[in-house]
Amino acid sequence: LLNATTRRDWKGNVTGVVGVGQDITALNQVLAESKRVADDLTRLIETANAPIFGIDTHGQVTEWNAKASGLLGYTKDEALGEHLVQRFITEEFKASVSEVLESALIGKETANFEFPMFTKFGDRRDILLNATTRRGPNDEVTGVIGVGQDISQIREITKEQERVADDLSRLIESANAPIFGVDLNGMVTEWNQKAAEISGYPKQETMGRNLVQNFIQPDYRKSVSDVLQNALAGNETANFEFVLKSKHGDTFSVLLNATTRRDGKGNVTGVVGVGQDITELNQVLAESKRVADDLTRRS
């Protein structure tokens, strides 16, 4: 880097030139590397498989990558210079999104902030956003970079799972069979209407209490406990018969299927027992046997 200065004699006549140079080889290398890194980051933002936008300190859009365009339908040219919140955020979420961006503009970054955006064509997209403060070479705040994740499909799956869970809960509650559930400690977690009807114990009197100790006759406690423990170990039982005594002293014969209950990761969380009241069936069978025995003796 050269500064060239005219050289003069004592009369002011030009006698030559003095050149003062500076070796900026290392500086140029640093600048070239900085430019390369900046270009790499620009390409990374533009081609990232996540919607990325940037705003300046006034909330105007300065970055709008290809994924943001593809997701929302607005081209980069349509987005740049627009006020992000006023132009692209629905009225309901303008205040909360503004708060997140304003916090990032004073250095308080936000992770996993969820909000909806609507496409140019009116379709809703659920976005999970990380808002990061953007700074200049002197560490001054110059804006915010938002890196999003489209979780619309995840939300749809979650809603469907919730719907199925609600349907199953209603099915369990209204089923024409006594159904109960216990956790890993044998405490009641499910007790449907039919179980309440047969046993005489309403749901609120059973929840959180030990099933075997409180609702099973002493003669059957060990065998029922064994069935539940087996189910907790993954060994399910079908057609196990035991006698249940109601709150009012009536006895019922119950045929039980004990099924292992698991969470989304496959971990055992308890047991669901689906019963069948076979009291009348046993009475019919006993009466049939009595009649058959009588006929045998008479013959």
Side-chain angles (χ1 to χ4, degrees):
L1 188 65
L2 179 68
N3 287 350
T5 306
T6 306
R7 194 169 197 175
R8 299 176 185 273
D9 62 16
W10 63 277
K11 293 181 179 180
N13 300 315
V14 175
T15 60
V17 175
V18 174
V20 180
Q22 180 183 0
D23 180 6
I24 58 169
T25 307
L27 175 61
N28 280 346
Q29 289 172 345
V30 170
L31 291 174
E33 177 64 13
S34 297
K35 185 178 184 302
R36 186 192 65 77
V37 171
D39 288 344
D40 285 347
L41 288 174
T42 300
R43 282 193 296 273
L44 176 64
I45 289 173
E46 186 59 30
T47 61
N49 193 31
I52 298 176
F53 64 82
I55 61 167
D56 60 19
T57 54
H58 302 292
Q60 313 294 324
V61 176
T62 56
E63 296 280 357
W64 192 266
N65 75 343
K67 189 68 176 180
S69 295
L71 182 66
L72 298 173
Y74 296 98
T75 66
K76 191 169 189 173
D77 289 340
E78 289 176 312
L80 290 177
E82 294 284 345
H83 193 281
L84 178 74
V85 173
Q86 297 303 320
R87 181 70 178 83
F88 302 108
I89 306 299
T90 56
E91 197 65 38
E92 180 184 359
F93 287 87
K94 281 181 179 176
S96 56
V97 174
S98 290
E99 185 178 345
V100 167
L101 297 178
E102 287 167 7
S103 293
L105 285 171
I106 59 173
K108 297 178 181 178
E109 300 178 344
T110 299
N112 299 329
F113 173 71
E114 185 178 337
F115 68 102
M117 294 183 79
F118 286 84
T119 71
K120 188 176 183 178
F121 313 105
D123 300 319
R124 174 175 171 142
R125 294 287 183 266
D126 291 304
I127 306 296
L128 196 66
L129 178 72
N130 287 357
T132 305
T133 307
R134 194 171 200 175
R135 297 180 182 275
N138 298 316
D139 204 38
E140 74 279 13
V141 174
T142 60
V144 177
I145 286 286
V147 179
Q149 179 184 356
D150 179 10
I151 58 171
S152 306
Q153 189 173 12
I154 295 173
R155 281 287 161 265
E156 289 175 4
I157 292 171
T158 301
K159 287 178 182 177
E160 178 63 13
Q161 289 175 335
E162 289 173 353
R163 186 192 65 77
V164 171
D166 288 342
D167 286 348
L168 288 174
S169 294
R170 285 193 294 272
L171 177 64
I172 288 173
E173 188 60 28
S174 61
N176 193 31
I179 299 176
F180 65 83
V182 297
D183 63 16
L184 297 174
N185 299 312
M187 304 302 180
V188 176
T189 57
E190 297 277 359
W191 194 265
N192 76 342
Q193 293 175 6
K194 194 67 176 179
E197 177 188 324
I198 290 176
S199 68
Y201 293 98
K203 190 171 188 174
Q204 59 267 27
E205 288 187 21
T206 63
M207 300 295 285
R209 299 177 67 187
N210 188 282
L211 176 75
V212 173
Q213 295 303 317
N214 290 285
F215 305 108
I216 305 299
Q217 288 295 99
D219 291 347
Y220 289 90
R221 283 177 184 169
K222 184 180 183 309
S223 56
V224 172
S225 182
D226 288 344
V227 167
L228 297 179
Q229 289 301 316
N230 285 335
L232 288 172
N235 301 316
E236 300 177 346
T237 299
N239 300 327
F240 171 73
E241 186 175 343
F242 68 99
V243 175
L244 178 70
K245 189 173 183 179
S246 76
K247 185 177 183 179
H248 310 296
D250 302 318
T251 57
F252 296 88
S253 296
V254 177
L255 197 64
L256 179 71
N257 287 356
T259 304
T260 308
R261 195 170 203 173
R262 299 178 184 273
D263 62 18
K265 296 180 179 178
N267 300 314
V268 175
T269 60
V271 178
V272 172
V274 180
Q276 181 183 358
D277 180 5
I278 58 171
T279 306
E280 290 186 10
L281 176 63
N282 281 351
Q283 289 172 349
V284 170
L285 291 174
E287 179 62 15
S288 298
K289 184 176 185 302
R290 186 190 65 77
V291 171
D293 289 344
D294 287 348
L295 290 174
T296 301
R297 282 194 298 271
R298 288 174 184 173
S299 62

